Amino acid sequence: MTYDLIVCGTGFASSFFLHKWLEKRPGSRVLVLERGARDDFWDQLEMGKNSSLESASLFSKSGLATKDWLFTVGLGGGSNCWWGQTPRMWPEDFQLFSRFGVGHDWPIGYDDLAPYYEEAEALISVAGPRDAPYPRRGACPQPAHNLSGFDRRMAELFPGEWVAAPTARASQPTDARGVCCANGVCGLCPVDAKFRVMNELASLYDETDAVELRLGAEVLAVNVEGGRATGITWSENGAERSARGELVFLGMNALFNPQVLKLSGDDSPLTGRRLNEQASLKLRVDFTDTDGFNGGSHITGLGYMFYGGEQRRDRGSVLIENYNAPAQLRSDRGKWTSRAVMKIVAENIPEDRNEVRLDEETNQPVAHFEDHSEYAKRALAEVPSEFIDQLTGVSPIEDVRIDSEIAPSEGHIVGTTVMSGDPADGVVDGLMRHHRIANLVVGGSGAFPSGPGTNPSLTIAALSLRSASALA
Ligand SMILES: Cc1cc2nc3c(=O)[nH]c(=O)nc-3n(C[C@H](O)[C@H](O)[C@H](O)COP(=O)(O)OP(=O)(O)OC[C@H]3O[C@@H](n4cnc5c(N)ncnc54)[C@H](O)[C@@H]3O)c2cc1C
Ligand code: SF4
């Protein structure tokens, strides 16, 4: 039998693609191959972790010793462990080269993605502010979480630039989720308040005549005949199996998509290249008088003062996140909450020197990362002091602590199958179709040609909805 669609992986990229595909072509036959297990909500709480399969054992690293790459392998992928931050990218993020002369443009623009951002926000039930610093029609599906006192003061000082964080942590219950109660352990949310594929989109993976889900199925290669993808070979219970499909979708994240492409004979010069993610520093500021930690969720405020504009010619855009929970209280009498704990997240420029390679003995992916770009480092060297100067408007500052080293990981794996309208400068096109192998779609943040400070998963979801909408 030939399936209409074969989907590899069950994270954001795959699940939003499959959702739209089934909406457009309800009767089609779909095979879903997932390497991990079905670790349900209660199983995860009991294990104290998101997956029974250790992700660190599935790849190796070289280059910068402190760099790490985080992800979850299992039904629902990274939606199990993510923190639920859902800002959109800005229009200028898609035009980094043409607007600012650095990095690469996307072959699509904000307006192409806007309707799918809206749809993804509805499926996720995003809680967020009415007025965002990017164009959007109408309100978010759920009201924003309460701001902390510190956030409210910042919003007064920087109107339109300090806003409530849009998030997949529910401010109102849904049929599948409870309300976020701001305890701040969102990687394993004990009340199931954040969106996961397996709470809001679980019905996708119900056994039906249409969808066949195979767990413990490690995809090994795309079968390619005459320049077309004709199916998939995978390993299950120690045996190698294969199936034919009219269309193949790879949604295994930016480490495993390029691994499988390379094992399938894809010799595009950019396959695996431009591995990157944002670079960040934690900042803790103690004030004489402010009211931190009394907001309604984990991260409550976002600062866009250093995000957009001409500074991007010289340094990465910066997004500032305010960590309302878990409360990191001061020990000074009467000033327990006069503190703000923030993260300064800088955009990185994808560079060819950082790449996913194949381990010659095991065929596992090797994440080779030499360093963050000077563009990101310059932003992290300059923005903190400029930002601290702005913070004196909140209340006199008593103490400042800032990390001396860039954090090992943001949990975002970006690049390695980059998108371009020009096959010479990309692996996939604007609909994430492989340039050299027909009938093959490669989803996820691997396709991002640039790495702005914005968290990637809402954009991953919107790209998949757009691609499936066109291709189905
Ligand atoms: C701690 C943490 C916090 C995060 N917080 C946020 C956040 O707040 N906001 C945000 O936007 N993003 C966040 N992220 C990032 C987010 O998790 C990823 O962007 C997202 O999961 C990527 O989606 P994806 O579908 O491309 O890949 P994944 O979600 O990683 O899914 C890949 C799927 O493929 C499967 N798979 C892998 N290899 C194979 C194989 N060989 N065969 C078959 N199946 C395979 C996996 O099991 C998984 O189901 C966070 C990540 C981490 C680790
Ligand atoms: S803050 Fe708490 S309740 Fe809210 S999503 Fe995170 S862990 Fe869940």
Side-chain angles (χ1 to χ4, degrees), residues 178-244:
V179 174
C180 173
C181 52
N183 49 41
V185 287
C186 316
L188 200 52
C189 174
V191 297
D192 211 11
K194 73 176 181 195
F195 167 91
R196 294 181 301 118
V197 164
M198 291 311 290
N199 54 28
E200 295 286 7
L201 296 179
S203 61
L204 285 177
Y205 300 110
D206 287 347
E207 280 294 318
T208 61
D209 287 345
V211 176
E212 178 183 340
L213 170 66
R214 304 196 79 91
L215 295 168
E218 180 191 352
V219 170
L220 302 175
V222 180
N223 305 331
V224 183
E225 291 167 26
R228 302 174 78 83
T230 55
I232 284 288
T233 297
W234 74 95
S235 152
E236 191 178 332
N237 296 325
E240 215 167 281
R241 311 184 56 151
S242 64
R244 293 183 74 81

Side-chain angles (χ1 to χ4, degrees), residues 250-471:
L250 302 187
M252 298 175 293
N253 89 29
L255 286 184
F256 300 104
N257 284 341
Q259 174 214 15
V260 166
L261 286 173
K262 282 171 184 276
L263 290 172
S264 314
D266 174 13
D267 56 2
S268 315
L270 281 173
T271 299
R273 289 197 189 263
R274 302 190 189 159
L275 171 68
N276 75 99
E277 68 169 344
Q278 301 100 331
S280 81
L281 295 175
K282 268 264 166 81
L283 170 69
R284 197 185 82 181
V285 184
D286 290 349
F287 296 94
T288 303
D289 184 23
T290 194
D291 212 358
F293 314 125
N294 59 353
S297 188
H298 168 64
I299 294 169
T300 41
L302 292 184
Y304 282 97
M305 292 87 83
F306 303 95
Y307 194 91
E310 287 301 304
Q311 54 157 354
R312 295 180 86 167
R313 292 191 179 279
D314 302 313
R315 68 183 190 196
S317 83
V318 163
L319 182 63
I320 301 167
E321 296 177 328
N322 179 36
Y323 281 70
N324 172 71
Q328 296 178 38
L329 300 178
R330 292 173 65 174
S331 53
D332 310 78
R333 194 184 182 90
K335 295 186 176 176
W336 292 356
T337 62
S338 286
R339 168 174 281 175
V341 178
M342 291 165 283
K343 190 153 77 163
I344 297 183
V345 187
E347 169 177 32
N348 214 344
I349 288 283
E351 296 174 305
D352 285 1
R353 62 181 172 151
N354 303 318
E355 61 175 334
V356 170
R357 299 172 175 167
L358 280 187
D359 184 302
E360 284 175 10
E361 280 173 25
T362 63
N363 277 340
Q364 280 197 344
V366 181
H368 176 77
F369 188 82
E370 296 186 6
D371 208 349
H372 295 283
S373 62
E374 289 306 314
Y375 190 69
K377 287 183 182 171
R378 212 159 26 247
L380 291 183
E382 294 173 0
V383 167
S385 55
E386 294 170 27
F387 179 48
I388 289 162
D389 284 348
Q390 293 183 338
L391 288 175
T392 50
V394 174
S395 129
I397 291 175
E398 297 183 355
D399 187 42
V400 174
R401 302 272 166 93
I402 184 155
D403 285 348
S404 54
E405 301 286 335
I406 291 175
S409 175
E410 292 304 300
H412 306 155
I413 315 172
V414 182
T416 75
T417 53
V418 291
M419 181 193 282
S420 172
D422 175 3
D425 195 39
V427 179
V428 299
D429 69 8
L431 286 173
M432 298 190 296
R433 288 174 297 195
H434 199 287
H435 275 301
R436 295 170 188 226
I437 306 173
N439 297 0
L440 177 63
V441 185
V442 188
S445 45
F448 293 12
S450 61
T454 295
N455 318 60
S457 302
L458 185 77
T459 303
I460 293 174
L463 285 170
S464 278
L465 292 172
R466 179 173 181 269
S467 177
S469 189
L471 301 180

